[in-house]
Amino acid sequence: MIHKIENAINKVFVGKEEVVRKVLICMLAGGHVLLEDVPGVGKTTLASALAGSMSCSFGRIQFTPDTLPGDIVGMSVYNMKSGEFEHRDGVAMHQILLADEINRTSPKTQASLLEAMAEGQVTVDGEKYLLPQPFMVIATQNPVEFLGTYPLPEAQMDRFMMRLSIGYPERDQEIRMALQFLDKKTPDTIEKVCRAEDVLEMKQAVCAIGINDMVLGYIEDLITATREEERFVLGASPRAMLALLRASQARAYIEGRDYVKPDDVKEIADSVLLHRLVLTSEAKLRKDDTSKILRSLIAKTKIPVV
């Protein structure tokens, strides 16, 4: 079923199979994704296609400086006829939520997503409302234009399981994209492969994927290496360790195995850890590359023979 979902998405989102697979890994692992890329590369198309292929409800909010927390989590509105306050749902009451240009809204509005991402619920006027499951936030931001933006703080970056970049398509891929555009193949026409209930069953199956103590130790060694690296003022958090663990289980599930291999961990470690690491002031002055440092740490960490 998961490969059918991949194929359905790849028919309308051309040439980015690896990105699609990592987004599905996040979905099955119960995580959220930050897509950081320039405009027009298909971030919205990917989110819409994901929701359509799994028959999930899709909500989108375009973040602007005047977006309010109530637009996301909902609000209480006074009904003059009944003389009582009524709850109005926010856009978060969807299974797949696209938070477009999340860094263009105020920190207060950004923070309103934290409870939804971490606990699968929102609180409005002291009342808690459970979000529909499966629930996933796909946030986007433009890494080039910073005028009028509010950079995400480290605490919020840590809530995203992965940060991904889509990139420009190759020549033949872009031509295929043009042909599909002429054939009117859009996310609205995507094949509905499964139901939301099927996704929940697959998420439960991911939690049952076995992981050897040696592989668990390998994950801990990677996390510890980022904390001991002198060029990082902030290493990977315990939440990052758990995210890497669950994402490794999801990758093993997609690969058709009931156990995690070190290769599963190594394959996704950079996507899970890179956005959580912060360079020291001296390293920034030297223009050190966070990605190169992380890849070096992964290469130096001893891989267990399981």
Side-chain angles (χ1 to χ4, degrees):
M1 185 177 293
I2 199 70
H3 293 303
K4 287 182 179 179
I5 295 174
E6 278 187 296
N7 292 334
I9 296 175
N10 288 329
K11 287 179 182 178
V12 297
F13 184 69
V14 179
K16 298 297 176 181
E17 290 81 4
E18 183 180 354
V19 174
V20 171
R21 172 155 291 201
K22 286 185 176 180
V23 170
L24 287 174
I25 287 173
C26 280
M27 164 59 77
L28 295 176
H32 310 282
V33 179
L34 176 63
L35 297 178
E36 188 176 80
D37 218 319
V38 296
V41 294
K43 299 186 289 291
T44 303
T45 300
L46 173 57
S48 179
L50 176 69
S53 66
M54 299 186 302
S55 304
C56 291
S57 61
F58 177 67
R60 176 185 179 183
I61 181 167
Q62 181 69 46
F63 280 113
T64 57
D66 60 349
T67 302
L68 299 175
D71 298 328
I72 301 171
V73 302
M75 62 185 72
S76 296
V77 179
Y78 183 72
N79 188 325
M80 296 185 66
K81 290 185 178 180
S82 64
E84 298 178 348
F85 282 93
E86 297 178 352
H87 175 73
R88 298 285 176 86
D89 288 342
V91 72
M93 286 296 175
H94 289 87
Q95 291 163 317
I96 305 296
L97 173 60
L98 176 63
D100 210 2
E101 295 194 274
I102 190 174
N103 58 333
R104 288 200 173 276
T105 194
S106 66
K108 182 178 181 179
T109 304
Q110 291 176 8
S112 65
L113 271 175
L114 293 181
E115 182 184 11
M117 294 170 67
E119 302 175 32
Q121 66 179 25
V122 294
T123 303
V124 180
D125 295 333
E127 292 289 331
K128 297 185 183 296
Y129 300 89
L130 295 179
L131 299 176
Q133 296 297 321
F135 176 73
M136 181 182 190
V137 173
I138 300 179
T140 73
Q141 64 178 10
N142 182 352
V144 177
E145 187 179 356
F146 296 105
L147 186 63
T149 62
Y150 303 84
L152 296 181
E154 285 75 16
Q156 190 161 355
M157 291 288 285
D158 197 44
R159 303 298 175 108
F160 289 99
M161 179 171 282
M162 290 187 186
R163 182 179 66 179
L164 303 174
S165 177
I166 296 175
Y168 291 119
E170 301 292 337
R171 183 179 184 276
D172 59 332
Q173 296 169 347
E174 200 155 10
I175 291 174
R176 281 174 52 204
M177 187 187 306
L179 293 174
Q180 289 190 351
F181 175 76
L182 293 174
D183 289 339
K184 297 182 180 180
K185 290 183 179 179
T186 66
D188 296 331
T189 63
I190 194 169
E191 176 189 2
K192 296 185 183 299
V193 176
C194 65
R195 303 168 303 160
E197 292 79 7
D198 298 319
V199 179
L200 293 176
E201 290 181 6
M202 289 190 286
K203 290 180 68 173
Q204 290 179 349
V206 166
C207 296
I209 297 295
I211 184 163
N212 186 285
D213 288 344
M214 297 177 68
V215 178
L216 192 58
Y218 176 57
I219 293 175
E220 181 60 30
D221 289 342
L222 285 176
I223 299 298
T224 302
T226 66
R227 297 171 184 170
E228 295 178 349
E229 171 56 52
E230 60 182 13
R231 288 168 289 184
F232 291 151
V233 68
L234 185 64
S237 66
R239 184 187 287 117
M241 188 269 187
L242 298 177
L244 184 55
L245 168 62
R246 187 67 81 205
S248 300
Q249 289 177 301
R251 186 180 186 276
Y253 176 81
I254 290 180
E255 293 292 328
R257 282 181 276 104
D258 60 358
Y259 62 94
V260 176
K261 298 196 303 185
D263 287 345
D264 295 319
V265 180
K266 191 174 181 181
E267 184 68 24
I268 59 173
D270 57 341
S271 298
V272 175
L273 301 180
L274 186 58
H275 62 287
R276 308 170 192 265
L277 308 175
V278 179
L279 291 170
T280 62
S281 301
E282 294 80 3
K284 290 179 181 178
L285 289 174
R286 293 195 303 266
K287 297 183 178 180
D288 289 343
D289 190 323
T290 308
S291 179
K292 289 183 178 179
I293 297 174
L294 178 59
R295 286 198 297 267
S296 174
L297 294 176
I298 294 173
K300 289 189 294 185
T301 303
K302 185 178 179 181
I303 300 177
V305 179
V306 181

